[in-house]
Each structure stands twice: as structure tokens, then as C-alpha cells.
Amino acid sequence: MTHPERTPPAPVEINDDTLRGFVGYHIKRAFNVIQDDLTATLKPFGLRMLTHTALILIVDNPGLSQSQLAAAMDIERSNLVVIIDELEGRELIIRDRVPNDRRAYALKATLTGRRLCEKAVAACTDHEARIFAGLDTSTRDTLLKVLSSVRNSQNS
Amino acid sequence: MTHPERTPPAPVEINDDTLRGFVGYHIKRAFNVIQDDLTATLKPFGLRMLTHTALILIVDNPGLSQSQLAAAMDIERSNLVVIIDELEGRELIIRDRVPNDRRAYALKATLTGRRLCEKAVAACTDHEARIFAGLDTSTRDTLLKVLSSVRNSQNS
DNA sequence: ATCATTTCGTTATGATATATAACAATAATG
DNA sequence: CATTATTGTTATATATCATAACGAAATGAT
């Protein structure tokens, strides 16, 4: 030995073994990556994850009410209001009237909304291809089965 | 057929096929379930996901700085301050001094902090057993491999 | 040694997400 | 009819997260 080993700029090794022992930790970290990329993907369309999800469900389910939409998105009705306000303000959807219930709104996408939704969904498809590149069908099925069983583990 | 099928209270079928076509959607929904259960699991210990994560990393890496911890948790230094304040206020950790750098703190867990952490980690282990019941080792490995590749897809 | 740059912890601020309570209008029920 | 439930809404509180700026201190360049 010629030189006494001088510790270099210290790459700082941090032990996260305990955390990596939890599957949920890996899911969270992976989801953060997905969310970041998805957020960037939707930005050019002026959409966020929540507004995009709402728009898709309205396009695919014309006439559904805010209560139904909130239930489908698993968020509170009160928190949906601002989301619907935003989409309506951009004239991507309209709050139509339900024939026999003057309380509820029948949410419907405008032509502009449907077109924007279509483009955004296409961008999301690309986004998923990027994120899940090299995920074969079999592995994908396994993944979805696990995620589904997690969802079904609720209240048990 | 004796009775004309009367549609019951309308279970309201909502089409979310588009959303279910995205793997990220399933991950988010599954993670919501995990997060809810984990939050409930940590509540008796007075910990939230972030404070718990920080406490674990401090216990396992005595003397690390706030910058290092923020980097490890992938959050901003500024947002870590309140987390550390909270843990310090409950005397679970201390802000010790780094010998040769009067700017940085050396975070260390107290005995109380280490004991609480140990119990909370045990509770989390139970939580994971609940959530991921019936997840065999092979499937688990596949899952972790996918999640790891997602994380590595960042900036590519 | 001086000066510029960087790093560390911090404060302030804003955007977003989420949960709860209350309310008026309306519908459904007994 | 009277009571109760539902719908959309407002207000409020909390948590998360990003960004900008700052003083103190360390580092690097000249």
C-alpha cells in the first residue's frame, strides 16, 4: 500500500433495508415515478391526473351524475366540484340537466372534450409503454392479479 | 319466467374500461388501499407514513444529515424540516452536531425512538401480511422486479 | 488571503389532494 | 303531509409537495 486510503467525495451509502423489506415501499416509489411521468405527459393538455380521470369517465359514461362520478373515482363529492368546475370552465364538459331529477347534473363531454380526451389517452398509452417497457403479457397479468387481490383485501 | 325483471335500486354500472386499460390506474387504486391500511396501522403510534419512514432511516443510519435523509426519501429538504421537528418534539430523535461541519445536523434516534420504531415496524409487518396475504415468494419476486424496472425507467 | 460558489437548514408561499361539516334544493318514503 | 335521504355546493382544516429566497458555513478558485 502506497497511499493511505483517502475516503473519496463520499457517495453516502444509506441503509434502507428495513424499508425495502416492505412491498408497499416499492409500490410507493414506483408509483411516484409513474405519477411524475404521467403529470408531465398530461401537462401539454392542461390536464392533471384527477381532471383527466374525470374527463375519461364522463366521455365513456355520458350523463352520469357528480355523485356517481365521485363514487367511481373514490373521492368525496365536495372535492369533485372544483374538478368539474375546471373541466366545465374549459368547455370540455357541460353540466346538463337530468330529466326527472332537478337536483342532479348529467355530465356530458363536449366535442372539444372528447377530442382532447382522445389525444390525452393516446399520450397516456405512450407513457405506459415507456414506463412498462419490456413487461410481457404474462408478467402483466400476474401484476394485475396481485394488484386486484390487494384491492380486495380491503376490510378483511 | 314469472316476473318481468324489475331493475333493482340501480347498482349504477359505470364503464371504466379505458382506465382499467392502464396499469398505472390499477397501481394507484391498490396503493390507496395500502395507504389507508398503513395509516390506520401507524395511527396508534402517533406516526404518519412520512414520519415513520424518516424514523426508520434515522434508526438505521445514525448520524445522517437532513440533506441525506431528504435525498433518501426523495422529498425536498424544506419539506423535511417539519417532519424532523415533529420527531424531535416527541423526543424520538435528536438533532446532534456533526463534528466537522457546523451547518449540518447529525440525526440520531433516542432510546424511546428506537423502541417506538421497533413496535411500529412490527405492526407494519403485520399490515403487509394482511394486505399481501397469499402472495407467494415467486410472485413477490416478479412483482418487485417489475416495480424496480419501473423505477429504473425514470429519465429514459 | 480573498472572493465566488456551493451546501445546509430554514422560512415563506402556493398548488394540490383529501376529509368533514353544514346547507338549500329537491326527491323519496312513511 | 311530515320525515328522511340525496345532490350539489361552500367552507374549513390538514397533508403533501414544489419553488424561491435567506443566513450561516464550507468549499473552491485565483
Side-chain angles (χ1 to χ4, degrees):
Chain A
M1 283 213 234
T2 54
H3 306 289
E5 288 281 318
R6 185 158 63 101
T7 44
V12 182
E13 268 316 314
I14 289 186
N15 176 1
D16 64 343
D17 288 352
T18 302
L19 290 175
R20 283 196 290 101
F22 295 117
V23 179
Y25 175 69
H26 295 273
I27 294 183
K28 170 161 175 57
R29 296 303 286 251
F31 181 67
N32 281 349
V33 173
I34 297 172
Q35 193 169 29
D36 287 351
D37 193 84
L38 181 56
T39 298
T41 299
L42 293 175
K43 195 164 193 176
F45 304 98
L47 295 171
R48 287 167 293 127
M49 274 182 51
L50 286 174
T51 53
H52 184 228
T53 300
L55 181 57
I56 288 178
L57 289 173
I58 294 169
V59 167
D60 288 352
N61 300 273
L64 90 170
S65 70
Q66 293 187 196
S67 286
Q68 290 169 344
L69 180 54
M73 292 178 64
D74 202 23
I75 65 176
E76 296 297 318
R77 276 171 306 153
S78 58
N79 293 328
L80 182 62
V81 176
V82 284
I83 295 172
I84 298 302
D85 281 350
E86 186 176 326
L87 292 174
E88 191 188 33
R90 293 182 55 197
E91 298 187 350
L92 301 174
I93 65 168
I94 58 167
R95 277 193 247 235
D96 209 349
R97 274 297 169 188
V98 168
N100 291 327
D101 191 335
R102 290 192 298 177
R103 293 170 303 179
Y105 288 125
L107 303 175
K108 295 173 185 173
T110 63
L111 180 57
T112 311
R114 284 191 296 275
R115 281 178 178 158
L116 185 75
C117 188
E118 193 178 357
K119 288 175 189 166
V121 165
C124 284
T125 303
D126 292 348
H127 143 81
E128 286 247 330
R130 268 198 310 275
I131 296 286
F132 299 104
L135 184 65
D136 59 283
T137 311
S138 151
T139 308
R140 181 191 158 103
D141 284 350
T142 302
L143 173 61
L144 293 188
K145 222 166 285 178
V146 170
L147 296 176
S148 169
S149 83
V150 167
R151 229 175 127 178
N152 291 334
S153 78
Q154 203 161 27
N155 315 321
S156 71
Chain B
M1 283 210 231
T2 53
H3 306 288
E5 287 280 316
R6 186 157 64 100
T7 44
V12 182
E13 267 316 315
I14 288 186
N15 177 359
D16 64 341
D17 288 352
T18 302
L19 290 175
R20 282 195 292 101
F22 295 118
V23 180
Y25 175 68
H26 294 274
I27 294 183
K28 171 162 174 55
R29 296 303 285 254
F31 181 67
N32 281 349
V33 173
I34 297 173
Q35 195 169 27
D36 287 352
D37 193 84
L38 181 55
T39 299
T41 298
L42 293 176
K43 194 163 193 177
F45 303 98
L47 295 171
R48 287 167 294 127
M49 275 181 52
L50 287 174
T51 52
H52 184 227
T53 300
L55 180 57
I56 288 177
L57 288 172
I58 295 169
V59 167
D60 288 352
N61 300 274
L64 89 170
S65 71
Q66 293 187 193
S67 288
Q68 291 170 344
L69 180 54
M73 292 177 64
D74 201 24
I75 65 177
E76 296 298 319
R77 275 171 306 153
S78 57
N79 293 327
L80 182 63
V81 176
V82 284
I83 295 172
I84 298 302
D85 282 349
E86 186 177 326
L87 291 174
E88 191 188 31
R90 292 183 56 198
E91 298 188 348
L92 300 175
I93 65 167
I94 58 169
R95 278 193 245 235
D96 210 348
R97 275 296 170 188
V98 168
N100 291 327
D101 191 336
R102 287 192 299 174
R103 296 169 303 178
Y105 288 125
L107 303 175
K108 295 173 184 172
T110 62
L111 180 57
T112 310
R114 285 192 296 276
R115 283 178 177 159
L116 185 75
C117 188
E118 193 178 358
K119 288 175 191 168
V121 166
C124 285
T125 302
D126 292 348
H127 144 80
E128 287 247 329
R130 267 199 310 274
I131 295 287
F132 299 105
L135 185 66
D136 59 284
T137 312
S138 152
T139 308
R140 181 191 159 103
D141 284 351
T142 303
L143 173 62
L144 293 187
K145 223 167 282 177
V146 170
L147 295 175
S148 169
S149 84
V150 166
R151 229 176 127 177
N152 290 336
S153 78
Q154 204 161 28
N155 316 321
S156 70

